[in-house]
Amino acid sequence: MQEIAVPSATARKKESRLRKRIWKNKWIYVMLLPGILYFLIFKYLPMYGLIISFQDYKPFKGILGSEWVGFEHFARLFNEPDFLNILTNTLILFGLNLLFYFPVPIILALMLNEVRNSFFKKTFQTLVYLPHFMSWVIIVSIGYVMLTMDGGIVNELLVYFGFEKINFLLSTEWFRPTYIIQVIWREAGWGTIVYLAAIASVDPQLYEAAKMDGANRLRQIWHITLPAIRSVIIILLILKIGDVLELGFEHVYLLLNSMNREVAEIIDTYVYTAAMKQGQFSYSTAIGFFKSFVGLVLVMIANKLAKKMGEEGVY
């Protein structure tokens, strides 16, 4: 006769304690539920659609009825004549983001932390947060009004000071500066929130001890504030590296035109053209798969390097 496994007293106690802990923190789990559902519905379930990157997907046949072609679309991507130029444009814009945008929220947070007038501090924070709540359409439209050759304030000022007008919107040389300035303008203020929260957790006694040792404000920032938020900076840097090929479609697409396409075409806009304008759903999905895979690998490498350097990392 087969024996029926009976849970031991220890196992029953553990299960009881787990139930009590869950019930005690039930409202925390309820608060987590919307976030969990969001990731399940919009992040994990759509992964099923990655199958079509290995198929010659036909909408009327569906995923199960479409022909399997293996890595054909990936091979096509790497053999595409424009692929190298598109990849280069994407990496250059990412490098500009990392070099010019990433440090700005840190510097801004350090500066805001030094402001002692609460009214001025809150007013300034509100002003720098505000652009984040505007869509890229509004940001680019404001940029267009300021930079256009037909009455744009920037070109009018250039003429006033004796310079010639510059066609910022159609110039290949000015596309990247325009792009990164708009990114900083829209996102820098919002990016300070995490750093300000990290700075707020620093023990005030450390600053008092530094003052007694004769350290001025700059030395306090360098020796206390920055080391205190270093782990936050590393984590956000690792996550930023994961977006190496994910610059966002909308902003670049709004700045893109036939005159600057040589330097403005990136992977995101190329995917949009292939999928929505040409109906190449399998090919565009393969490109998206490639982007995600590269991002995952880079996050894992960056995380491992961070841990070797003694930092916590993402996981």
Side-chain angles (χ1 to χ4, degrees):
M1 182 181 295
Q2 187 177 2
E3 295 184 2
I4 300 174
V6 180
S8 64
T10 306
R12 287 197 298 271
K13 285 181 181 178
K14 286 183 179 179
E15 186 178 348
S16 177
R17 283 199 298 267
L18 179 62
R19 281 206 212 97
K20 288 179 181 178
R21 196 181 308 121
I22 292 174
W23 180 252
K24 181 181 178 181
N25 301 310
K26 57 183 180 297
W27 296 116
I28 296 177
Y29 292 110
V30 170
M31 290 174 64
L32 286 173
L33 190 59
I36 294 171
L37 289 175
Y38 167 79
F39 279 99
L40 284 174
I41 295 171
F42 296 104
K43 300 296 182 180
Y44 287 95
L45 290 180
M47 287 184 183
Y48 174 71
L50 291 174
I51 295 173
I52 69 174
S53 62
F54 302 98
Q55 296 178 324
D56 183 15
Y57 176 71
K58 305 295 183 186
F60 58 88
K61 289 185 178 180
I63 293 178
L64 298 179
S66 298
E67 181 185 354
W68 191 269
V69 296
F71 291 92
E72 181 181 312
H73 299 298
F74 296 94
R76 176 191 165 187
L77 171 64
F78 298 132
N79 291 319
E80 193 73 32
D82 295 330
F83 173 70
L84 185 59
N85 182 56
I86 294 169
L87 181 63
T88 302
N89 292 339
T90 306
L91 292 175
I92 289 174
L93 289 184
F94 172 75
L96 292 173
N97 267 283
L98 208 58
L99 183 62
F100 293 104
Y101 163 69
F102 187 78
V104 173
I106 302 172
I107 297 169
L108 200 55
L110 293 172
M111 292 172 64
L112 282 170
N113 188 57
E114 296 303 311
V115 177
R116 294 294 174 258
N117 188 311
S118 60
F119 174 77
F120 177 79
K121 184 175 181 178
K122 290 178 181 178
T123 303
F124 186 76
Q125 281 181 291
T126 303
L127 291 175
V128 296
Y129 292 168
L130 189 60
H132 175 78
F133 298 99
M134 301 180 189
S135 69
W136 278 118
V137 175
I138 296 175
I139 297 294
V140 174
S141 297
I142 294 173
Y144 174 83
V145 172
M146 294 178 67
L147 299 175
T148 182
M149 293 185 71
D150 186 17
I153 186 172
V154 175
N155 275 308
E156 292 299 320
L157 286 172
L158 287 174
V159 172
Y160 179 79
F161 288 106
F163 299 97
E164 293 185 0
K165 289 186 177 182
I166 300 174
N167 198 342
F168 294 99
L169 302 173
L170 300 180
S171 171
T172 54
E173 291 82 8
W174 283 97
F175 168 77
R176 287 164 182 160
T178 302
Y179 166 84
I180 199 65
I181 288 170
Q182 289 180 353
V183 169
I184 292 172
W185 178 34
R186 184 176 188 263
E187 302 296 348
W190 187 254
T192 61
I193 293 176
V194 175
Y195 296 113
L196 284 172
I199 292 172
S201 65
V202 180
D203 189 352
Q205 293 181 1
L206 295 174
Y207 294 108
E208 293 175 7
K211 283 181 183 178
M212 293 179 66
D213 290 337
N216 58 26
R217 295 305 301 176
L218 286 176
R219 287 193 172 276
Q220 289 175 40
I221 291 171
W222 183 258
H223 293 290
I224 298 174
T225 310
L226 281 175
I229 65 172
R230 184 176 59 188
S231 60
V232 176
I233 295 173
I234 295 296
I235 290 172
L236 292 179
L237 178 60
I238 292 171
L239 295 176
K240 185 71 175 176
I241 289 173
D243 290 335
V244 61
L245 301 180
E246 189 72 40
L247 295 174
F249 158 76
E250 187 180 2
H251 184 198
V252 178
Y253 186 74
L254 290 168
L255 292 173
L256 181 66
N257 55 61
S258 58
M259 301 300 293
N260 63 18
R261 186 174 295 275
E262 182 184 349
V263 297
E265 185 82 89
I266 61 171
I267 292 178
D268 289 319
T269 57
Y270 182 66
V271 168
Y272 172 79
T273 302
M276 298 302 171
K277 292 188 175 181
Q278 301 173 1
Q280 302 180 60
F281 300 112
S282 292
Y283 180 53
S284 58
T285 304
I287 301 172
F289 199 161
F290 167 72
K291 284 170 46 185
S292 301
F293 179 75
V294 171
L296 174 63
V297 171
L298 289 177
V299 165
M300 293 175 68
I301 293 172
N303 190 73
K304 192 170 183 179
L305 289 174
K307 290 204 167 188
K308 282 188 176 181
M309 295 168 63
E311 301 296 334
E312 294 181 7
V314 178
Y315 58 90

